[in-house]
Amino acid sequence: PLTGSYMQFDGKGIYAEVLRTGKPVFINDYQNWEDRLVNDFTCGMTSAMQVPLNIEGKTVGSVGLAAFAEKIIMDEEKMAVFEQFAAVAAIAIKNALYHQQTNHLALHDTLTGLPNRAYLNRHLEEELERARRGQSAGAVMFIDLDDLKTVNDHFGHTSGDSVIIAAGNDIVSAAGDNAFVARVGGDEFVIILPGTDNEERIAPVADRLVGAIRREYEVRGKRIHMSTSIGVTLYPEDGVIAEEILKNSDIAMYAAKAAGKNCWRFYEQGMQQEDYEKMVLTNSLRHALENEELYLLYQPLIALDRKTVVGFEALLRWSSREHGMISPARFIPLAEQSGLILSIGKWVFAEACRFARKLADMGKENIRVAVNVSPCQLATADFSEMVRDSIEEANIRSQQIEVEITENVLIESLEESTRKLVELSAIGVQLSLDDFGTGFSSLTYLRNLPVTTLKIDKSFINEMLRDKVQEGFIRSIIDMAHVLSLNVVAEGVETEPQLSKLVQFGCDCVQGYVYSRPISQEDAIRFLLTPILSKERF
Ligand code: C2E
Ligand code: MG
Ligand code: MG
């Protein structure tokens, strides 16, 4: 159909008249017709006729007959034949349009208009067929927007949808003209990038994609910072089976998430193994509490001015029957991801409070016990209640317990967390900021939170004697903390030279192998009762 408006022809000519009136028109002396259209086509036209093509009551075009050299008389009879023909043509066109639309619907995502999973599968299969014949190579990228759930939760699904649409556009332009971009799930996109499976040529595209999404999206007047994680699989290098390629890209995407998000990873064979091990360990961890495989060690905190023990940090250990000793760096993230940290963390508090009770019974109720807290623990509604219950249960003074949080605890829900920490501080619980200097350190946190202690991360202490900048950094942290009336603990102090530097800088406390490794309850008590200067190393 010549869909158009009669205005297109300045209202001149037969077609314009059909479109305007929706009625058949015939002209037998075209050259003398006052509304004739003058152009190369009509210049030799003697007579002509057109009948409207109507679809759903709308004139969308016409069917016509024109005579040039010899004259053909146009009349009602000829017109009737053409009208029948136009009716049949209209039905055929309508069917074709309908098929086009349903096909589009079946193969495209309604939100972004991008190809959907069905289309992706079809396209990928065709592409891989070419690769199997050695006629193509390329990359498949699995893209997942980071933390879209948070956007949905905070700003509503409509805002989430706007971000998805905008991100989809960014992905399409960053991926380039050659790429096939599909949306395959809520916040998931897949790109097929034919051309090359050369890592060095794929990497810049992945960089560009991560960079394109790492920006602020404006949604209903609010600025939302987004980022994305991407997994990349190469074909035919990593495989030529669609299902496998998509699965491996997904695995690589999870590896990118695990590496801290806002980045991309090539698929590597070991990745699956890693995931499998995590799953197995997590399953064992589920039974660790009831099997009594968990216990706490205590590492002394020494005040530098008096060279006395002022507290202990409770550090969790897992001695698994099946897997042996597993380090906290390995199992705590698993406990966090699986939610097991909530029950484990509760046990840690109860156990640490029992230790504090023992100390109090020895008349050492001024010795603090510090407990590490994960972000997800602090996020639970009953966090302060849980801490209070453990303290009451053990019947100790709240001042004896110190809660250690890291800065990233606060990023997620600053207000909520602050409220809970203020609540705890009000009953006397001490609060320290752990691993200081490694996260998004902000003075605002320090001013608004009831923090009493800063713990300088051991990575700074490691570098202290080798690197002047690091040394200056430590000195400034200590000075700044003192301006804010905070206590400073240096963590991971291993050597005497480090110790004397810290004394020189006015650091309040140290914790580290130079005095003691984390030790059992019994050893901790013995350590406490021995004067520091005569201590053999623990
Ligand atoms: P963290 O809270 O920063 O604990 C200090 C870590 O530094 C401990 O590692 C400790 O053993 C280690 N350390 C202390 N002094 C030295 C030293 O002189 N040299 C060296 N190389 N290391 C030293 P650990 O026990 O492996 O714990 C690692 C992390 O696991 C802790 O870091 C903490 O974030 C987390 N964690 C431990 N127990 C718990 C717990 O009960 N709950 C939660 N949520 N996290 C825990
Ligand atoms: Mg700690
Ligand atoms: Mg620390």
Side-chain angles (χ1 to χ4, degrees), residues 227-531:
S227 63
T228 186
S229 304
I230 305 180
V232 187
T233 306
L234 305 172
Y235 63 84
E237 197 183 298
D238 294 335
V240 281
I241 310 294
E243 204 186 333
E244 198 182 308
I245 292 225
L246 289 174
K247 195 182 95 200
N248 291 348
S249 311
D250 198 20
I251 288 172
M253 185 276 290
Y254 273 106
K257 290 250 190 237
K261 304 180 180 174
N262 187 28
C263 64
W264 62 271
R265 286 287 179 271
F266 277 122
Y267 170 72
E268 290 161 24
Q269 221 120 51
M271 283 175 173
Q272 244 163 325
Q273 190 59 32
E274 171 72 16
D275 281 353
Y276 180 73
E277 276 176 27
K278 275 189 188 171
M279 198 186 72
V280 170
L281 273 189
T282 307
N283 279 337
S284 293
L285 191 56
R286 272 177 223 292
H287 309 288
L289 257 187
E290 61 200 67
N291 290 348
E292 300 185 342
E293 296 172 355
L294 298 175
Y295 58 95
L296 296 181
L297 290 184
Y298 298 90
Q299 190 176 30
L301 275 94
I302 316 291
L304 286 179
D305 57 348
R306 289 159 283 134
K307 295 268 191 287
T308 51
V309 177
V310 290
F312 291 98
E313 175 172 7
L315 292 160
L316 187 57
R317 293 293 177 264
W318 179 24
S319 165
S320 161
R321 273 183 217 168
E322 284 171 80
H323 314 285
M325 281 304 292
I326 312 284
S327 88
R330 178 115 180 94
F331 76 82
I332 286 177
L334 298 181
E336 289 175 338
Q337 281 153 27
S338 58
L340 287 168
I341 194 70
L342 298 183
S343 51
I344 293 176
K346 201 167 161 181
W347 176 84
V348 170
F349 259 103
E351 180 72 5
C353 287
R354 283 193 285 271
F355 179 55
R357 174 73 257 161
K358 257 185 213 165
L359 296 173
D361 287 344
M362 294 163 46
K364 302 279 185 189
E365 54 195 6
N366 55 337
I367 304 289
R368 281 173 302 171
V369 178
V371 178
N372 291 286
V373 167
S374 294
C376 36
Q377 284 176 275
L378 190 57
T380 56
D382 63 349
F383 175 72
S384 348
E385 207 178 307
M386 185 271 287
V387 177
R388 252 183 288 132
D389 287 351
S390 319
I391 290 173
E392 268 169 38
E393 182 79 16
N395 193 20
I396 49 171
R397 290 182 336 148
S398 311
Q399 283 74 4
Q400 226 186 319
I401 293 299
E402 179 160 307
V403 167
E404 288 198 4
I405 55 164
T406 53
E407 290 148 309
N408 49 5
V409 162
L410 302 164
I411 291 164
E412 289 188 9
S413 51
L414 184 59
E415 271 173 41
E416 262 296 280
S417 307
T418 308
R419 192 181 55 70
K420 289 174 196 165
L421 295 171
V422 167
E423 227 169 83
L424 285 177
S425 154
I427 62 164
V429 173
Q430 307 289 300
L431 180 62
S432 64
L433 204 50
D434 204 355
D435 303 345
F436 187 78
T438 57
F440 294 87
S441 318
S442 154
L443 287 175
T444 321
Y445 294 160
L446 289 180
R447 289 211 359 241
N448 296 341
L449 283 170
V451 175
T452 44
T453 303
L454 280 195
K455 299 188 78 171
I456 304 179
D457 191 66
K458 67 169 172 287
S459 56
F460 294 104
I461 311 295
N462 289 346
E463 299 292 315
M464 182 170 69
L465 298 176
R466 260 172 283 156
D467 184 343
K468 279 280 166 215
V469 176
Q470 215 68 290
E471 189 186 301
F473 199 63
I474 292 177
R475 193 200 289 254
S476 344
I477 294 178
I478 294 173
D479 290 344
M480 177 199 71
H482 287 160
V483 169
L484 296 168
S485 308
L486 299 172
N487 200 36
V488 186
V489 177
E491 262 190 315
V493 181
E494 294 182 349
T495 65
E496 294 290 344
Q498 288 172 339
L499 195 58
S500 40
K501 261 273 152 47
L502 289 163
V503 172
Q504 188 196 325
F505 293 166
C507 183
D508 305 291
C509 293
V510 296
Q511 179 184 344
Y513 296 175
V514 71
Y515 284 119
S516 169
R517 289 175 178 263
I519 46 184
S520 69
Q521 241 186 64
E522 298 70 39
D523 282 345
I525 288 171
R526 254 191 288 148
F527 187 94
L528 184 60
L529 300 176
T530 325

Side-chain angles (χ1 to χ4, degrees), residues 108-136:
H108 290 79
D109 160 51
T110 41
L111 183 66
T112 59
L114 289 170
N116 62 13
R117 190 180 277 279
Y119 195 173
L120 168 76
N121 287 340
R122 200 164 87 181
H123 191 82
L124 183 59
E125 204 36 73
E126 285 165 9
E127 175 60 13
L128 293 177
E129 179 53 40
R130 275 191 288 277
R132 282 191 283 269
R133 279 189 258 118
Q135 293 162 350
S136 190

